[in-house]
C-alpha cells in the first residue's frame, strides 16, 4: 500500500467526519467515513499494512475524542490514547478474516465490510471502556448511559455509515490501482502476487 | 513501498497501545492534550472549510433564523438584556433573603465577564458523543467552567478543562456527564398579574441527552408546560446564573412515587446544531474570590 496516499486520504476522511458528516445526522446518529476507509484498506492491503493503517487511524481518532475526567472547576477533557487504536485494529482484523470469502470488487461488499468493521470496532471500544471504567475513568469513555445502550446506538451508527458509504466506496473502488495494494490492481499471476505481498 | 514489515514491531506496537489503553487518565493528561493538538493542527484548515460547507448543507439552528440581520441582532441584544435582568432578579432575591436573615455577610458578586464569539469547528459525533470543539482557547482568555451561550441568554454548556491555546471543548448542558444542575422554574407571566404573580420554584435537573433534562418536584402546583427554566446553580460561574436553559416541555407524575411530580425540560437551542456560540469569559482583576462558584469535584455532585 502506498502510505503517501493513505495519510492524506485519512486526513481528509477525519476532517469530513469531524466537520461535515454531522450535517447528515438523523435522530442523533451521525454517519462516519473512517470505517469505510479502514474497511477498504483492510479488504485489499496486506495483513500487516492493514493493521498498521488501523493503528494510525485509531491514534488520530483518540486525539479527536477526548474523554471527560474530574477537574477542579469543571469536568476535564483528557485525551486518552489507546482505546481507539485497539478498536480500529479489531475492526480491521474482522475485515481481514472475512475478506477471503467475499467478492471484493463490489461496492456492496465494501459497504458490508464497513458495517462489520464499525461494529466490531465499537464492541472492542466499549469493552475497553468498560474495563477502564472499573478502575480509571469517572465517566465511561462511550459517554452517558449503559454499555448496552451504547452498543445499540453504535449499531445504528454502523448501519447508517454503511449505507452512506456506498457512494464514496464506489469512488474508492475506482481508484484501486492508485493505492498499490498487494492483493488488488490488474489481474496478475499468483507468482507475481507473492512478490508483492510485502508492502 | 514497504512500511514496517516486521511482525515483531507490529506486535510491540499493539502491546504498547494496549498498555496506553490501560493507563489511567492522570498518566496521560500531562502530554496527551499537547500531542492531540499537534495531531489535530494539520486538519484545522480543512475542517474549518468543511464546517462552512456543513452550515450551507444543513443550516444551524440559531435563534431567529431567517430574520434580517439588524432585526436579529436587535432581538439578540434584547435577549441578552433579558438574561442579565433575570440574573439580577435572582441576585436581588438572594440578597433579600440574606437581608432577612442577617445571619452573615457574603461578598457581593463582582464577577465580571466579557463575551468571546467562537465558531464550532468540531463535533464529537463518535465517542464520547456531544462534545463541541470551538476555535478559541486560553489565548483568548477562555477557562474551564466558563458558560457558553447562544442568542444572548440561552445557555448551552460550559467549557471543559483541558483545552489548548486556540481550541476548547464545550460540554453541552444535556450531556449526562454534566451532572445534576440546580435550576429555577419561573412560571410564564400571565396577563395583568405579570411579574408580581410569579413564584419561582427550585428544581434539580438531570441531563438526559437529546436536548432534554428531567427533574423531580415535591408538587406540580404552579408548573405548566411552557414555563421558563433558568440556571441557578451555585456550582456554576456567576455569569451563568439566570441564563435560560429552556422551557418545561411536559409535566407528569413519577411512576415510582405518584405523590411527586416529574418535569421534562427541553433546551431551546440544540447544542448539536449550533455553529456560533458566545463564551462568557471571566475578566481577571474583577473576578470573584477564589473558590466561589467553583465545582468542588467536577461534575460529581
Amino acid at each position: 500500500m502506498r502510505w503517501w496516499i493513505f495519510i492524506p486520504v485519512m486526513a481528509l476522511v477525519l476532517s469530513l467526519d469531524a466537520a461535515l458528516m454531522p450535517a447528515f445526522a438523523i435522530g442523533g446518529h451521525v454517519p462516519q467515513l473512517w470505517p469505510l476507509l479502514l474497511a477498504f484498506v483492510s479488504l485489499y492491503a496486506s495483513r500487516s499494512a492493514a493493521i498498521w493503517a488501523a493503528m494510525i487511524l485509531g491514534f488520530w481518532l483518540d486525539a479527536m475524542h477526548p474523554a471527560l475526567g474530574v477537574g477542579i472547576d469543571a469536568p476535564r477533557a483528557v485525551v486518552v490514547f489507546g482505546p481507539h487504536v485497539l478498536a480500529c485494529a479489531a475492526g480491521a482484523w474482522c475485515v481481514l478474516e472475512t475478506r477471503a470469502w467475499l467478492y471484493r470488487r463490489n461496492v456492496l461488499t465494501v459497504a458490508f465490510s464497513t458495517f462489520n468493521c464499525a461494529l466490531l470496532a465499537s464492541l472492542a471500544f466499549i469493552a475497553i471502556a468498560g474495563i477502564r471504567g472499573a478502575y480509571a475513568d469517572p465517566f465511561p469513555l462511550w459517554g452517558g448511559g449503559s454499555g448496552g445502550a451504547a452498543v445499540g446506538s453504535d449499531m445504528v451508527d454502523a448501519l447508517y455509515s454503511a449505507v452512506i458509504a456506498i457512494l464514496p466506496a464506489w469512488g474508492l473502488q475506482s481508484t484501486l490501482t492508485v493505492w498499490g495494494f498487494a492483493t488488488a490492481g490488474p489481474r496478475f499471476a499468483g507468482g507475481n502476487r507473492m512478490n508483492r505481498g510485502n508492502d | 513501498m514497504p512500511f514496517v514489515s516486521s511482525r515483531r514491531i507490529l506486535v510491540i506496537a499493539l502491546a504498547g497501545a494496549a498498555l496506553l489503553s490501560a493507563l489511567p487518565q492522570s498518566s496521560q493528561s500531562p502530554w496527551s492534550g499537547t500531542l492531540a493538538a499537534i495531531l489535530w493542527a494539520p486538519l484545522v484548515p480543512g475542517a474549518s472549510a468543511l464546517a462552512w460547507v456543513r452550515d450551507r448543507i444543513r443550516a444551524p439552528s440559531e435563534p431567529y433564523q431567517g430574520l434580517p440581520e439588524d432585526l436579529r441582532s436587535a432581538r439578540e441584544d434584547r435577549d441578552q438584556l433579558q438574561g442579565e435582568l433575570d440574573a439580577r432578579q435572582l441576585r436581588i432575591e438572594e440578597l433579600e433573603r440574606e437581608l432577612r436573615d442577617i445571619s452573615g455577610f457574603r461578598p457581593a458578586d463582582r464577577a465580571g465577564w466579557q463575551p468571546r464569539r467562537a465558531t464550532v469547528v468540531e463535533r464529537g459525533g463518535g465517542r464520547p458523543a456531544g462534545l463541541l470543539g470551538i476555535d478559541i482557547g486560553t489565548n483568548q482568555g477562555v477557562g474551564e467552567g466558563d458558560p457558553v451561550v447562544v442568542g444572548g441568554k440561552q445557555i448551552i454548556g460550559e467549557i471543559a478543562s483541558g483545552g489548548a491555546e486556540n481550541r476548547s471543548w464545550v460540554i453541552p448542558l444535556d450531556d449526562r456527564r454534566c451532572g445534576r444542575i440546580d435550576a429555577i422554574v419561573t412560571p410564564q407571566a400571565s396577563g395583568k398579574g405579570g411579574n408580581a404573580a410569579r413564584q419561582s420554584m427550585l428544581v434539580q435537573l438531570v441531563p438526559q441527552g437529546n436536548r432534554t433534562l428531567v427533574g423531580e418536584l415535591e408538587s406540580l402546583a404552579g408548573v405548566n408546560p411552557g414555563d421558563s427554566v433558568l440556571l441557578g446553580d451555585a456550582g456554576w460561574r456567576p455569569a451563568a446564573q439566570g441564563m435560560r436553559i429552556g422551557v418545561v416541555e411536559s409535566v407528569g407524575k413519577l411512576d415510582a412515587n405518584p405523590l411527586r411530580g416529574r418535569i421534562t425540560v427541553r433546551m431551546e437551542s440544540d447544542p448539536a446544531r449550533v455553529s456560533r456560540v458566545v463564551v462568557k469569559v471571566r475578566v481577571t482583576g474583577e473576578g470573584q474570590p477564589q473558590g466561589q462558584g467553583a465545582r468542588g469535584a467536577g461534575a460529581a455532585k
Side-chain angles (χ1 to χ4, degrees), chain A residues 1-4 11-12 14-20 22-26 30 32 34 47-48 51-52 55-56 59-60 63-86 89 121-122 125-126 128 132 135-145 154 157 198-199, chain B residues 1-6 9-10 13-14 17-18 20-25 28-29 31-33 35-36 39-40 43 46-48 50-51 53-54 57-58 121-129 131 144-145 158-163 167 169 171 175-178 210 235 237 272 282 293-300:
Chain A
M1 186 172 72
R2 294 185 180 124
W3 291 98
W4 58 270
L12 175 67
L14 291 177
S15 302
L16 285 166
D17 278 348
L20 185 67
F24 304 106
I26 297 176
V30 182
Q32 301 282 301
W34 66 261
R47 294 183 77 86
S48 63
I51 297 290
W52 274 116
M55 291 178 68
I56 293 167
F59 202 67
W60 250 272
M64 291 170 65
H65 296 103
L68 278 184
V70 174
I72 298 165
D73 271 6
R76 180 176 174 77
V78 181
V79 176
V80 177
F81 286 102
H84 276 106
V85 175
L86 295 181
S122 158
F125 182 89
I126 290 168
I128 294 163
R132 281 185 60 89
Y135 70 94
D137 297 324
F139 307 106
L141 286 179
W142 62 74
D154 283 1
D157 285 352
N198 188 22
D199 61 347
Chain B
M1 182 177 68
F3 187 57
V4 181
S5 54
S6 168
I9 294 175
L10 182 60
L14 279 169
L20 276 176
S21 297
L23 286 177
Q25 290 179 358
Q28 297 203 31
S29 57
W31 53 269
S32 64
L35 181 57
L39 291 173
W40 172 252
L43 308 184
S48 299
L50 289 166
V53 175
R54 177 197 63 214
I57 294 173
R58 191 172 189 171
V121 291
E122 189 188 349
R123 292 193 172 95
R127 292 165 296 244
L131 288 193
E144 58 185 293
E158 66 172 336
I159 299 290
S161 62
R167 186 176 174 220
W169 292 100
I171 313 169
D175 193 307
R176 290 185 177 92
R177 292 162 295 178
C178 240
N210 209 15
R237 289 274 159 78
R282 188 160 54 164
R295 287 209 240 184

Side-chain angles (χ1 to χ4, degrees), chain B residues 89-101:
Chain B
Q89 278 179 341
L90 288 180
R91 182 69 187 149
I92 288 166
E93 284 174 19
E94 189 183 324
L95 286 173
E96 282 174 349
R97 273 198 305 274
E98 286 182 6
L99 275 174
R100 271 200 305 272
D101 297 342

